[in-house]
Amino acid sequence: MVIRSPGRLTAVTALVLASASPARRNLLAAAGIAAEVVVSGFDESTVDVAEPATLCLVLARAKAEAVAGRLTDGLVLGCDSVLDFEGAAFGKPADADEATRRWYAMRGRSGVLHTGHCLIEPGTGKRAEAVASTTVHFAEVTDAEVAAYVGTGEPLRVAGAFTIDGLGGPFIECIDGDHGNVVGLSLPLLRRLLGELGHQLTDLWGVR
């Protein structure tokens, strides 16, 4: 989905989200930020990075740069999430079989969901970036529950093959860290990144 990019800005700041994720856009909207959405079109398969926390930041940066290069104003936020499960980087599973295998391995155990955030100000070229990490403890789900969940198709659309704000929520026992980060975007981290660039998150409230 592509929504219009902002025009010339003066006293206010607009945020462009370089992600097609409805969950990220909804998180921003709930926090009073009506972000524009511009899908980067970046080919993630061109990135060959093994370490999960590094991978998510490299992808977030690439998405933000791809969109920032088309704009002259506002702020561009790129995000990408990767689950670190015992050192392996779990993005979106390739198919239902892979999603099933992952859930068989993850159930009753824990992983760390990393989300890379890259914020760029196209007008000045300034940027701030960081990774937010949250430990996720998975429930001891049954084979039947795994089959039913994978059958919905939801695990195929998300990093790590699970959601916490959707059908996968009942299969997450608890988390250590920021809930929003598991959804796809850490609002406290976004606030800090905005501050590094001299902006306040409250400046984005109601800006369209």
Side-chain angles (χ1 to χ4, degrees):
M1 175 176 62
V2 178
I3 299 179
R4 65 178 180 82
S5 57
R8 207 69 170 143
L9 303 178
T10 53
V12 295
T13 301
L15 182 69
V16 175
L17 179 62
S19 170
S21 166
R24 292 190 179 109
R25 190 175 182 218
N26 290 341
L27 275 172
L28 290 169
I33 302 170
E36 306 284 353
V37 174
V38 180
V39 179
S40 71
F42 178 76
D43 182 2
E44 297 184 17
S45 67
T46 61
V47 176
D48 183 17
V49 177
E51 205 280 315
T54 302
L55 174 61
C56 71
L57 186 56
V58 169
L59 292 173
R61 184 186 302 139
K63 292 176 181 179
E65 289 175 344
V67 173
R70 309 175 205 168
L71 304 175
T72 57
D73 297 291
L75 292 160
V76 177
L77 176 64
C79 294
D80 196 88
S81 297
V82 175
L83 178 70
D84 181 346
F85 184 72
E86 299 183 344
F90 284 3
K92 296 176 184 176
D95 52 34
D97 287 342
E98 183 177 356
T100 299
R101 289 194 299 273
R102 287 188 185 181
W103 266 100
Y104 283 172
M106 297 187 308
R107 59 185 174 186
R109 304 172 84 172
S110 303
V112 180
L113 195 288
H114 300 293
T115 300
H117 299 63
C118 180
L119 187 67
I120 299 177
E121 190 174 60
T124 64
K126 294 180 186 176
R127 67 178 62 197
E129 57 184 38
V131 175
S133 302
T134 303
T135 300
V136 180
H137 303 280
F138 298 100
E140 189 67 75
V141 293
T142 66
D143 289 0
E145 286 174 318
V146 171
Y149 184 43
V150 172
T152 68
E154 181 180 88
L156 305 183
R157 300 189 293 269
V158 289
F162 75 95
T163 66
I164 196 170
D165 59 334
L167 297 175
F171 307 136
I172 308 301
E173 287 288 349
C174 62
I175 63 171
D176 299 319
D178 180 6
H179 177 276
N181 184 55
V182 183
V183 177
L185 189 157
S186 172
L187 291 167
L189 178 54
L190 173 59
R191 173 182 167 274
R192 294 195 294 274
L193 296 179
L194 286 164
E196 288 182 29
L197 297 187
H199 300 286
Q200 305 231 13
L201 184 141
T202 53
D203 293 338
L204 298 175
W205 284 348
V207 177
R208 294 182 180 276

